[in-house]
Amino acid sequence: MQTAVRQIAGRGKTIAIVPTMGAFHKGHLSLIRRAMKEADVVVTTIFVNPAQFGPKEDLGKYPRDLKADIAQIKATLGRRARSAIVFTPKAADIYPEDFETWVMVEKLTKTLEGAKRPTHFRGVTTVVAKLFNICRPDVAIFGMKDYQQAIVLKRMTKDLGYPIKYVIAPTVREPDGLAMSSRNRYFDDTARWEAVCLYYALESAKSMVKAGILSVKRIEKEMQAVILATCPTAEIVYIAFTDLDSLELVKKVQRGTICSLSVKVHGVSLIDNMKLG
Ligand code: AMP
């Protein structure tokens, strides 16, 4: 990989990287399409990163389908597939036995997802830093679907001085509004329909803000009701209203406020978010 990127740079070509864990859906493919617009060569990385899973999380059963993923990348890139690279390192390549160096973003990782997954973000930042070092991209594309991750990695990119254009691409949704996610494959029919509860809650929040209701307490109460009406067994992990960049909690919706939430639907943790202000 390092030899390949040196050759690409030597020919004066630019590289856009799309880091993923595979099991592709249209959200991943939209990032690849964006990467095609941003640079000459698209490098898609597929690596189910053990370091970002907690001990009780779904590392073992996380969906893996490399053959189908590569076919989808090829179909998306068309003629550009010839110059593209799919980088699929093994866990032992990224984390050799004596590995002990971690990259950590301190404050932004304490809230939201970080509060319930204490070692998650250091796994994310460490693997992405390694991927940046190996692939030397000019542009990096991440999805807004994982909002806190996008903000944390943006801070890491800036703080460590990577000369990389950082792009956050919009969330791709199913026709009913459910944000696409590799974890949606876990659902049976009932659970799949009920999983739309996160989107319904976010839409209700948006309508309330449009109607002039800005109190976070009132909006949150309504969102809880919408979630439970759609999925009676849902476990709401958090509903948070934060500033888009600082992730600081706000009491009233204002310019730049984003609502993000985490809900367990039939045992599967889902996250979603929407800009409200
Ligand atoms: P993952 O394979 O789930 O780690 O995701 C790889 C990249 O795809 C991350 O930057 C995600 O934010 C992004 N992504 C995941 N789901 C979506 C979606 N529904 N729309 C757009 N981007 C997404």
Side-chain angles (χ1 to χ4, degrees), residues 126-140:
T126 300
V127 80
V128 171
K130 288 201 74 165
L131 292 171
F132 282 180
N133 294 340
I134 296 164
C135 303
R136 309 210 161 238
D138 301 280
V139 185

Side-chain angles (χ1 to χ4, degrees), residues 18-31 45 47 52 62 141-147 149-150 153 169-174 178-183:
V18 182
T20 80
M21 298 208 298
F24 282 1
H25 49 67
K26 287 182 186 147
H28 294 114
L29 302 179
S30 76
L31 304 189
T45 72
F47 178 60
Q52 71 187 70
Y62 195 84
I141 323 276
F142 296 94
M144 186 64 180
K145 157 78 175 25
D146 300 281
Y147 151 64
Q149 169 177 287
L153 288 171
T171 300
V172 176
R173 298 180 179 280
E174 299 285 356
L178 172 65
M180 291 200 180
S181 162
S182 304
R183 290 191 168 95

Side-chain angles (χ1 to χ4, degrees), residues 137-172:
D138 301 280
V139 185
I141 323 276
F142 296 94
M144 186 64 180
K145 157 78 175 25
D146 300 281
Y147 151 64
Q148 186 178 15
Q149 169 177 287
I151 298 298
V152 165
L153 288 171
K154 187 175 175 190
R155 178 63 57 84
M156 179 198 80
T157 304
K158 179 167 174 270
D159 286 354
L160 295 185
Y162 285 110
I164 294 173
K165 177 180 171 187
Y166 192 90
V167 175
I168 303 179
T171 300
V172 176

Side-chain angles (χ1 to χ4, degrees), residues 50-55 57 102 114 116-124:
Q52 71 187 70
F53 288 79
E57 293 178 8
W102 297 95
K116 67 179 168 99
R117 307 174 76 188
T119 58
H120 171 68
F121 283 115
R122 77 165 201 179
V124 171

Side-chain angles (χ1 to χ4, degrees), residues 216-238:
V216 157
K217 256 194 186 159
R218 275 186 67 189
I219 299 172
E220 184 177 348
K221 224 172 154 198
E222 174 63 17
M223 288 176 77
Q224 287 166 343
V226 170
I227 290 167
L228 293 173
T230 314
C231 178
T233 57
E235 291 168 52
I236 300 169
V237 183
Y238 64 78

